[in-house]
Amino acid sequence: MRSNEYLERSVTCEVPLRWGDMDPYGHVNNVEVMRVLEEARIAAFGVPVGTGEQVTPAKIPLFSVLPEGTQALIAEHRVKYLRPLAYRNVPTEVRVWVVSAKAATLALGFEIVDAADGAPCIRAQTQLALFVPETQTVLRITKEQRELLEPYTAPSPF
């Protein structure tokens, strides 16, 4: 990573690991890493409107202010495994930040750290497209939404 700016601009979300997330090698399976990223994304940006109950407030309330029925669809994932993420019976910390918010796409950066020593295990970037099924169109990110996201914007993890 070119910069540690993300440390100052990210939000930290705690995501519990499940004993069943381990693979035969004793570390969290790569498929389960995608679940951890998803849980961190929802903790950071909120439950999309109409898809569940938001009990704990989102750290950056973006999804809750989108029009009813808007879907945040994954367009792309990129993941780099720096070291194995061992199962721990305490939540792992996931740092989440915005890489870019333009037109109808939102790129997010992630860093998953080991709960025991705080060392980075995984870095990832996810690109989302905001989609409105009713009209079969993408939803453009507004100026106000970009302003909401700006304080959390930092370089790509790659």
Side-chain angles (χ1 to χ4, degrees):
M1 181 175 301
R2 296 180 307 275
S3 167
N4 285 340
E5 184 179 356
Y6 73 97
L7 290 173
E8 297 171 7
R9 293 182 158 248
S10 63
V11 295
T12 300
C13 302
E14 291 188 345
V15 177
L17 298 177
R18 303 173 305 186
W19 187 84
D21 293 344
M22 281 188 296
D23 62 17
Y25 300 115
H27 58 265
V28 175
N29 184 277
N30 66 305
V31 173
E32 296 305 327
V33 166
M34 294 296 111
R35 181 191 59 79
V36 170
L37 295 176
E38 178 181 54
E39 292 296 333
R41 187 174 65 248
I42 297 303
F45 297 99
V47 174
V49 174
T51 62
E53 187 176 345
Q54 184 80 42
V55 176
T56 302
K59 295 174 183 285
I60 309 166
L62 174 67
F63 290 171
S64 61
V65 300
L66 296 176
E68 181 81 27
T70 301
Q71 299 175 350
L73 301 179
I74 303 297
E76 183 178 331
H77 279 304
R78 182 174 176 199
V79 181
K80 182 169 185 150
Y81 297 90
L82 306 171
R83 68 181 239 191
L85 175 61
Y87 167 78
R88 311 270 189 225
N89 66 346
V90 294
T92 191
E93 287 188 356
V94 184
R95 297 176 183 124
V96 184
W97 66 96
V98 175
V99 173
S100 67
K102 48 188 167 184
T105 62
L106 179 64
L108 305 175
F110 298 88
E111 182 175 71
I112 302 174
V113 300
D114 189 312
D117 62 13
C121 296
I122 297 157
R123 290 197 177 118
Q125 185 168 316
T126 297
Q127 183 172 330
L128 302 170
L130 303 176
F131 181 73
V132 182
E134 186 176 288
T135 60
Q136 294 291 297
T137 59
V138 293
L139 181 69
R140 298 186 70 79
I141 297 171
T142 66
K143 178 184 176 211
E144 293 78 21
Q145 291 162 342
R146 282 193 299 280
E147 288 171 357
L148 169 72
L149 299 173
E150 196 282 324
Y152 309 99
T153 301
S156 170
F158 300 105

